[in-house]
């Protein structure tokens, strides 16, 4: 199975975006942080919108929003949530990073993705930014939220950031992580929902290749994630 099909299969029956807490209070705080970085615009595309847990909080701030996801179960949840929250300005599209572009008929001020880029390889991110730049208005921004930082994620995984970290626990977790990594790679399956970690400098190089300047900002709510904010240079 190809990498992208592995993830499609992984998300085919998922119903939530895997946020640290699923309470509306937390989602609303996360959305406020993201709205700060999105910083305006009228038309927004949310790639990998999942169950629209953030998208519905973006809705009051935009004229028109499009949510895209390759998981039918996620989009079903998104539809229910959009109805419940009475958002009238959101359209949903079932597509992946390749098929999405042919389904769009207009451009955007903001193209964003939260917790999605880790399911793409560097080559796919490169192609995504190249395609996105063709659908981005002149003063638009591409804002990729919550990318796993390849320098911090392994440390978080072995429990280095936890309150009760000690040498023994870290050693046990390291052993466990090592075993899980080997067994999932033998089964050609993803290790967990979080996907692959990407070094911010490599993402920045890709951005610059496509004529964007990138600012890297730490995530407020996840110690091991960062946001990549791209402007036309
Ligand atoms: C961790 S969830 C985050 C959902 C949402 N952005 C949020 O923050 O609540 C990742 C989402 O990206 C979607 N996804 C992953 N890779 C994708 C791809 N190549 N094309 C479209 N959707 C994708 C998954 O189906 C899933 O809904």
């Amino acid at each position: 199975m190809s990498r992208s099909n592995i993830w499609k299969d992984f998300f085919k029956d998922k119903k939530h975006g895997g946020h640290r807490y699923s309470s509306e209070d937390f989602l609303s705080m996360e959305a406020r942080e993201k709205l700060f970085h999105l910083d305006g615009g009228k038309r927004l595309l949310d790639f990998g919108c999942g169950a629209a847990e953030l998208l519905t909080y973006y809705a009051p701030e935009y004229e028109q929003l499009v949510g895209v996801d390759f998981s039918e179960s996620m989009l079903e949840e998104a539809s229910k949530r959009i109805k419940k929250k009475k958002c009238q300005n959101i359209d949903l599209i079932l597509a992946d990073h390749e098929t999405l572009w042919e389904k769009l008929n207009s451009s955007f001020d903001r193209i964003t993705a939260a917790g999605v880029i880790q399911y793409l390889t560097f080559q796919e991110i490169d192609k995504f930014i190249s395609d996105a730049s063709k659908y981005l208005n002149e003063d638009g921004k591409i804002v990729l939220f919550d990318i796993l930082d390849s320098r911090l994620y392994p440390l978080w995984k072995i429990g280095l950031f936890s309150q009760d970290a000690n040498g023994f626990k870290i050693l046990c977790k390291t052993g466990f992580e090592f075993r899980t990594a080997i067994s999932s790679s033998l089964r050609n399956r993803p290790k967990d929902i979080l996907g692959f970690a990407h070094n911010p400098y490599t993402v920045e190089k890709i951005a610059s290749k496509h004529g964007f300047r990138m600012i890297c900002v730490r995530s407020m709510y996840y110690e091991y994630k960062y946001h990549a904010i791209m402007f036309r240079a």
Side-chain angles (χ1 to χ4, degrees), residues 41-202:
K42 290 182 179 163
R43 292 182 49 82
L44 174 138
L45 172 79
D46 187 11
F47 170 66
C49 65
E53 284 158 297
L54 296 172
L55 188 56
T56 45
Y57 281 106
Y58 301 160
E61 308 298 324
Y62 286 85
E63 275 176 19
Q64 190 61 40
L65 305 96
V66 176
V68 178
D69 207 285
F70 65 9
S71 159
E72 281 185 40
S73 61
M74 284 287 202
L75 288 189
E76 261 169 43
E77 289 305 304
S79 292
K80 286 186 210 157
R81 187 174 166 88
I82 288 167
K83 225 180 194 172
K84 195 168 150 207
K85 296 242 171 200
K86 298 190 172 65
C87 303
Q88 314 237 312
N89 52 350
I90 303 180
D91 290 320
L92 295 176
I93 297 180
L94 179 69
D96 64 20
H97 55 285
E98 284 173 343
T99 56
L100 148 69
W101 311 106
E102 69 210 28
K103 299 187 179 185
L104 298 177
N105 47 24
S106 57
S107 56
F108 297 88
D109 303 309
R110 299 291 179 267
I111 296 182
T112 189
V116 187
I117 290 314
Q118 52 265 47
Y119 304 113
L120 302 184
T121 61
F122 280 126
Q123 286 83 352
E124 287 167 337
I125 296 176
D126 189 317
K127 177 81 171 49
F128 179 85
I129 292 175
S130 160
D131 288 335
S133 69
K134 295 175 196 138
Y135 286 84
L136 192 68
N137 293 337
E138 213 183 330
D139 294 324
K141 283 190 210 173
I142 300 175
V143 189
L144 307 176
F145 290 115
D146 293 325
I147 305 176
L148 300 184
D149 191 325
S150 56
R151 302 161 304 174
L152 298 173
Y153 182 55
L155 303 180
W156 177 79
K157 272 299 236 187
I158 60 166
L160 210 73
F161 295 149
S162 67
Q163 224 175 4
D164 56 351
N166 63 45
F168 180 69
K169 280 191 179 163
I170 290 173
L171 206 66
C172 291
K173 279 205 166 196
T174 307
F176 174 78
E177 283 304 319
F178 186 67
R179 220 184 49 194
T180 319
I182 300 275
S183 100
S184 48
S185 119
L186 288 176
R187 288 180 298 128
N188 200 18
R189 301 290 304 167
K191 209 154 47 86
D192 56 33
I193 191 179
L194 291 178
F196 306 105
H198 292 317
N199 186 305
Y201 294 115
T202 315

